[in-house]
Structure formats: C-alpha cells, structure tokens
Amino acid sequence: MDFSISEEQRAFVDSVRRVCQKDFKARAIQYLDGTWPAENMKQLADLGVLGMAVPQEYGGSGLGILDTVLVLEEIGKVCYVTAMAALGELGVQTRVIATYAPELIKRRILPRVATGKAILAICMTEPNAGTDVPSYTTNTDVKGGRVVVNGVKTLISRADIAEMLVVFTRVNKVPGARGIGCVLVPGGAKGMTVKSSYHTMGGEYLSEVVFDGVELPLENLVLKEDGMKKLLSAFNTQRCLNPAICLGLAEGALEEAVRYMRERSAFGQKIGDFQGLRWKVADMYVEIEAARGLLYRAAVSGDQFPDPTLAAMAKIYTNEMSIRVTSEAIQVHGGYGFTDEFPVSRYFRGTRYGSLGGGTTETLRNLVGKKLVEHMDLATGVLGMGMY
C-alpha cells in the first residue's frame, strides 16, 4: 500500500504535465470532430510515454502500472481524446503482444509502438456481444501452418489507422469460454474491411471491422489454450488505466469549477464566497481523493497484471465518481457549462465512456460480489481476502 512517488517518477510525470497544460489543453476542442490527435501523440512519443508498456529490450521503458496511471491522469485532465489515444498504446493490446506474442512479432511491432510509429487496436465487442465474451462468434480456424479469421467486431477504436489489431476470437469453433483465444491481424490485411461508422459523444470515431477469410501465419494466433483466462488477466490492467483517465477528467473539471468560482460574480460578490458552492467543490474533492486511494492501491497490487478485485472496485468507484463530479462542475458553471467553449462539458462527455468500456460497472459488481460471497473467510472477514 505504498503509493510514494520517487523523484524520478515525479520528474517524468511533471514533464508530461507541462506538455499537457501548455499544448494539449489549448488544442483539446479541435478533436471533438473525430480528428486523430497526431501532434499530441508525437509529443508523447518524444517524451517516452508511448513506450511505457513496452519492455526495455524492445525499445521501451517497461514502467509499472502506477506510472502509467499517473501519466494518463495528467493527460485526462486536459484532453479525453488524447488520453484515449494514448491508452491504446499503453493498455491491454501492447501488454498482450509483449507477454504472449512470438519473438519475431515482438521485435517487429513493439519498437514501433514505443516510438509512436505504430498504432494498435483491440477488437473485442461484437454486434451481439460486448461484455459477454464467451458468446463471441468471430472465429479463427487453424489449417495446417495457417489460420483463417472470419467475423465482425464493432465499436473499435483506431481500427482505421492501426498497424496491428489484437482480436479476441473463438478458435476452431470451440464453444463457450474455453474456445476464446487471440489472433494478431495486421492493418490492411486482405479480407479485412474497416468502416468508421460511429462518432462518439467524447469526440473520437469507432469502427466496425469485418474479417472475411483473413488468412495469416500460424504464429499470429498468440493465445489458444486457456486463452480467455490469460486475456482477462491482462484486462485487469485496463481496469486501472480506464479509471485513471476518469480520475484526470474529474480533477480537470474540479480545477475549472474552482477557477470559475474565483472569477464569476453574482449578487454583488464572487460566487466562490457562497457556502453552497464551497460545499459542492469540497464534496467533489473528497470523492476524487477517495477514488485516487482505491485506484493507486489497485495499480500497485500486481507487477504485470493487478489484483482483479481491487481493479474492479477502483474502476466501479472512479467511473461513477467522475460522472458525478463532472456533472457538478457543469452545475457550478451554470448555462456556460452546457457550451463547448467551457471545457467542463467535454469532461462530462468523456467520463461517460468509463463505465462502459473495459467491463461495465454492473459486470464488475458481479465480480466483487462473487468474491465476497464465495471466498470471504468468515473468521477474519475481508482482511482474510488478502487485500492488505
């Protein structure tokens, strides 16, 4: 439970903060139309941010989950679209490749991820199945030394520009959870079609991806046996990184609310002098700090992949906290908060993604509830669950 930050970590995060506040904040509004934040991503690559999930032997820094949480938090404070773009390089897709892909693929793609030259995408959701992974119908058949992928994925970020797609797939039509594995599909592969069809309230576009007889080398099937268990273990990392962005959005919204309270006057005095508004921002800050404690604790619970229960609790609370806090920030701004000219409306729209992606909060409540009901030691209570 040691969340202390080393001088080296603090210096790195401070360098990211300076760029975010100086450059990203001013540009944030221009990405609401779905424009890819290429300029911001170039700066993040130059800082070494995009290589944080890449092991050192492949040109990255291989930093821990807490480091990544701290960086995404700073980016989230100023620009949701850029934070989500960075998450694509720091999240589960990079970690799946770094952990499970053959050496040849690692050496080909990971150095390019670290330098910002390659974008990755993860393909999970299907038109008739999102959280229900065991019901996925996208299938990869093994045929000798080749594999053939067929199926449809939807609501996929970055699919139109990704150099490689990490695709959750059924293998050899084996039913249920035991049939789920993972295949790596290069962008532009023959038989793959990408349709950018959904513009989100957060700003970015999501795509539908069709795999129609996409034929690949056998080594691209990186997970087959026990694939779903390994994939979901890797996904616990995403359940820390997603709320890191939400935490940053909430912090950014609180900062804007306080700034507005200092500047805006009503009834002959600054609105920051009204007790009701002071209590409002006090409650917002309490919620932010409660979420920070849960999230940082989950982030340090595992070297590569965090404890699933802690990650689930951190995601549930931080996702829902950020919706409440950003909504209250809009309320502080009055009618101006409803406009795009003030950033609080963008913060609110960004936070709405959090409880949907990376496992819905409803699904994660099931996970936490199951852990309590089925595994709590009645003699020692929650302390007996090994959470401390």
Side-chain angles (χ1 to χ4, degrees):
M1 294 180 66
D2 181 10
F3 308 148
S4 60
I5 307 301
S6 70
E7 289 304 313
E8 184 178 9
Q9 286 174 310
R10 193 175 300 279
F12 183 52
V13 174
D14 282 347
S15 68
V16 174
R17 180 186 293 118
R18 285 193 294 271
V19 168
C20 288
Q21 295 293 329
K22 177 177 178 291
D23 299 327
F24 294 5
K25 191 171 186 177
R27 292 196 287 256
I29 195 169
Q30 73 189 51
Y31 302 125
L32 287 178
D33 64 355
T35 301
W36 174 253
E39 189 173 2
N40 291 357
M41 292 293 280
K42 173 65 166 60
Q43 288 181 269
L44 291 176
D46 292 343
L47 285 171
V49 168
L50 301 188
M52 293 178 70
V54 175
Q56 292 182 357
E57 59 265 37
Y58 304 108
S61 54
L63 294 178
I65 297 168
L66 180 59
D67 299 82
T68 312
V69 164
L70 295 171
V71 165
L72 285 175
E73 183 183 337
E74 289 301 325
I75 303 172
K77 282 184 185 180
V78 295
C79 184
Y80 164 80
V81 175
T82 302
M84 290 299 293
L87 175 62
E89 308 304 280
L90 303 178
V92 66
Q93 47 266 60
T94 301
R95 296 169 193 274
V96 164
I97 293 172
T99 305
Y100 300 119
E103 189 66 21
L104 182 64
I105 292 178
K106 291 180 183 179
R107 294 200 176 279
R108 187 166 68 235
I109 191 72
L110 291 178
R112 292 177 56 76
V113 171
T115 56
K117 296 177 180 178
I119 301 300
L120 300 177
I122 186 166
C123 297
M124 292 185 62
T125 301
E126 299 187 355
N128 295 309
T131 302
D132 186 11
V133 177
S135 293
Y136 285 175
T137 59
T138 296
N139 181 73
T140 300
D141 284 314
V142 179
K143 298 183 177 180
R146 309 287 287 177
V147 297
V148 180
V149 188
N150 288 283
V152 179
K153 297 290 184 177
T154 192
L155 302 178
I156 308 303
S157 302
R158 301 172 296 278
D160 55 333
I161 59 172
E163 185 166 312
M164 183 167 285
L165 295 86
V166 178
V167 182
F168 279 42
T169 176
R170 191 163 302 288
V171 181
N172 289 330
K173 301 180 179 66
V174 175
R178 67 189 184 92
I180 299 297
C182 177
V183 65
L184 306 180
V185 179
K190 184 179 179 180
M192 185 182 81
T193 305
V194 178
K195 303 174 182 178
S196 293
S197 51
Y198 302 100
H199 181 245
T200 72
M201 62 192 291
E204 76 271 54
Y205 273 97
L206 302 178
S207 301
E208 181 177 271
V209 185
V210 179
F211 303 99
D212 184 8
V214 177
E215 188 172 333
L216 302 165
L218 182 59
E219 59 263 27
N220 282 49
L221 184 63
V222 296
L223 284 177
K224 182 179 177 182
E225 293 80 10
D226 295 322
M228 184 168 172
K229 182 179 179 181
K230 292 175 181 176
L231 287 168
L232 292 184
S233 293
F235 217 72
N236 288 326
T237 302
Q238 206 81 346
R239 290 170 179 169
C240 286
L241 304 187
N242 164 305
I245 296 173
C246 287
L247 179 62
L249 289 165
E251 290 171 348
L254 174 60
E255 291 171 3
E256 291 297 326
V258 171
R259 181 177 293 110
Y260 188 77
M261 286 168 60
R262 289 179 177 177
E263 296 171 352
R264 175 75 169 178
S265 296
F267 304 102
Q269 64 186 100
K270 298 294 184 183
I271 65 172
D273 293 336
F274 293 114
Q275 184 185 62
L277 288 181
R278 289 191 174 193
W279 283 18
K280 193 180 288 291
V281 293
D283 287 341
M284 292 160 69
Y285 192 36
V286 169
E287 288 212 68
I288 285 171
E289 289 304 316
R292 187 194 312 282
L294 270 174
L295 178 56
Y296 287 10
R297 180 175 157 209
V300 300
S301 67
D303 182 29
Q304 179 68 7
F305 304 132
D307 177 88
T309 308
L310 290 176
M313 291 192 297
K315 187 176 185 301
I316 290 168
Y317 187 80
T318 309
N319 286 165
E320 295 179 353
M321 172 280 297
S322 65
I323 294 172
R324 293 189 296 267
V325 167
T326 55
S327 179
E328 288 288 69
I330 291 174
Q331 194 70 20
V332 168
H333 281 70
Y336 287 118
F338 197 59
T339 69
D340 283 340
E341 281 67 28
F342 285 75
V344 286
S345 67
R346 301 198 301 272
Y347 290 137
F348 178 74
R349 294 201 294 274
T351 61
R352 206 56 198 85
Y353 163 80
S355 62
L356 303 172
T360 65
T361 48
E362 291 83 2
T363 296
L364 298 182
R365 280 186 166 87
N366 286 337
L367 188 155
V368 175
K370 179 179 179 180
K371 182 68 178 283
L372 284 168
V373 174
E374 298 182 9
H375 299 286
M376 186 181 78
D377 187 328
L378 295 180
T380 58
V382 293
L383 291 175
M385 297 172 69
M387 292 186 179
Y388 295 92

